[in-house]
Amino acid sequence: MLQRAIKRLVKYGVDTGLVPEEDVIFTVNRLLEAYGEDDAGEGGLPEKKEEDLESILAELLEEAAKRGLLPDNTVTYRDLFDTKLMGLLVPPPSAVIRSFREHYAHSPEEATEYYYKLSRDTDYIRRYRICKDVKWVTATPYGDLDITINLSKPEKDPKAIAAAGAAKASGYPKCLLCRENEGYAGRVGHPARQNHRIIPITIAGTQWGFQYSPYVYYNEHCIVFNSAHVPMKIERATFCKLLDFVKQFPHYFVGSNADLPIVGGSILSHDHFQGGHYEFAMAKAPVTQEFEVKGFSDISVGIVNWPMSVLRLRCADPERLIDLADYILQAWRGYSDPACFIYAETEGVPHNTITPIARKRGDLFELDLVLRNNITTEEHPLGVFHPHAQLHHIKKENIGLIEVMGLAVLPARLKEEMGKVRTAILEKQDLRADETIAKHADWVEEFLPAYGEVSESNVDSILQDEIGKVFMKVLEDAGVYKKTEEGRAGFLRFLNSLNA
């Protein structure tokens, strides 16, 4: 019954702190209006604490479908409608900003805890979907890599894709990161955001927005984005902004995707960073070789034990870190080393850039600079320093900031495919007989002899470990200097060029 479901939702709002007691009747009436109803029925809110938001919304969505309020009863239209309902429970931006700043006055950590809880309670972060992601950890010589098969992003249904193609093109909001998404009703092809609130912040004297990722790949996965729709650019100002952010939120790390195709993120059109309250394997990795740059003897510089090519800079003075990071960036932009197939540019197209990550450790500021190059060849059309073809059965997509730091975000298809591979291994079937998993056959045939008896009790851990090893190789492919004598010598040549 609609009235009961509405009262359950409002009770959920009261229990989570979204709806003050004084706003209960007001909120019930707004929800009734969304259904074209004018009667709340008898009785007040349920006495029992309401925690199962998924079941409440499912009941409300079924009512919406029965009443013809959904153009089609698919995940796309259901998401648009239930976000509209949740938006009726969320305080306005001004109230959220005010609360955030009040908490920040006590401590930055208290402020982010408040805001992260709000983002989950409002269903902007759909916890009941996030928990479906498959996650595990694989031990490697570089540390424990985090592996995730991403199942929380809903698949686009064919009807919605067709509707999006037929719809009139819209340039508002310009992208998924623009401020105009706050409170936006959404449409087919662009998610609704009535339940979304953004915290305005100032970093390095410029206006930015602070929010959480709706897909939270790790704890308190946040996005920090330029208030203006301007493209990604790695420059001196980038280091200023990253370090200013960790000054303001010292319990968070923050990093930027690179600013070139292939080695950059999925959204290059809008300048943004990603951060959070999490320590990745790369952050834990030790420095294996220290180096001194002339004029910067006060800054610790070292090569990190990581499959990609990483320099770690540490200093108590962030301004000095900015000076050295900018010096290294400019040197790398123009650096070529044919012996390592590193070319700064070909036919006027630049190839070298950096993926930077900032964090604070006690009184010291730390910058990790990951050297990147996006050159392509006929043999490697997707990138020489990109996952090579033999690894594409597991990971073909670009290696962005999150992967660089040691967290694999793998495609949802792998869940079903690994289920079939599991069955084929246990029943000794020919993987090549099934076209959906034939691409995994060479890989399985390569690793399986290394194990003795494979059974129900160990097959899952074997597959997880082997997927993790593939991800390690993915990162090694993305490294511009390989973990070989030639690669190490090449890395030192670049470092020595800084003192030339």
Side-chain angles (χ1 to χ4, degrees), residues 284-454:
K284 300 175 187 176
V287 166
T288 57
Q289 186 171 358
E290 294 191 348
F291 188 85
E292 185 174 311
V293 181
K294 286 180 184 177
F296 295 96
S297 59
D298 55 325
I299 300 179
S300 167
V301 180
I303 296 174
V304 179
N305 180 38
W306 195 243
M308 297 183 71
S309 307
V310 186
L311 285 174
R312 178 164 295 158
L313 318 182
R314 302 183 79 201
C315 185
D317 184 353
E319 294 302 320
R320 292 289 289 158
L321 272 188
I322 292 165
D323 288 342
L324 180 54
D326 185 47
Y327 175 64
I328 293 171
L329 172 65
Q330 298 310 320
W332 179 246
R333 290 277 195 200
Y335 184 79
S336 293
D337 186 349
C340 294
F341 208 76
I342 294 170
Y343 295 91
E345 58 87 20
T346 54
E347 299 179 356
V349 178
H351 297 305
N352 288 350
T353 186
I354 280 176
T355 300
I357 301 103
R359 63 185 75 89
K360 201 167 187 291
R361 295 193 187 276
D363 294 331
L364 294 179
F365 290 89
E366 195 169 272
L367 264 179
D368 283 353
L369 305 180
V370 188
L371 306 181
R372 311 298 301 273
N373 179 287
N374 75 345
I375 195 168
T376 61
T377 63
E378 287 187 9
E379 182 184 0
H380 301 293
L382 297 181
V384 172
F385 304 107
H386 179 87
H388 289 178
Q390 67 268 27
L391 307 178
H392 288 179
H393 65 105
I394 297 293
K395 177 73 174 177
K396 183 179 182 180
E397 298 79 14
N398 292 351
I399 303 306
L401 173 68
I402 295 173
E403 287 91 357
V404 163
M405 295 186 293
L407 191 159
V409 181
L410 302 179
R413 62 173 172 82
L414 284 178
K415 186 174 188 292
E416 182 179 352
E417 289 174 10
M418 287 305 113
K420 292 182 178 181
V421 168
R422 180 187 192 278
T423 299
I425 290 173
L426 292 174
E427 298 182 2
K428 296 181 171 53
Q429 298 172 354
D430 179 9
L431 274 74
R432 290 180 171 82
D434 183 339
E435 62 179 14
T436 64
I437 57 171
K439 57 181 172 287
H440 298 299
D442 289 345
W443 169 60
V444 172
E445 289 169 3
E446 182 180 348
F447 74 70
L448 208 53
Y451 297 91
E453 184 178 345
V454 179

Side-chain angles (χ1 to χ4, degrees), residues 97-115:
I97 294 166
R98 184 167 56 251
S99 293
F100 182 88
R101 289 175 176 166
E102 288 170 355
H103 286 290
Y104 188 90
H106 292 130
S107 78
E109 197 159 357
E110 182 181 310
T112 55
E113 285 175 358
Y114 153 75
Y115 183 43

Side-chain angles (χ1 to χ4, degrees), residues 217-231:
Y217 293 132
Y218 50 86
N219 187 47
E220 297 182 39
H221 177 185
C222 71
I223 299 172
V224 186
F225 62 95
N226 199 313
S227 291
H229 183 77
V230 295

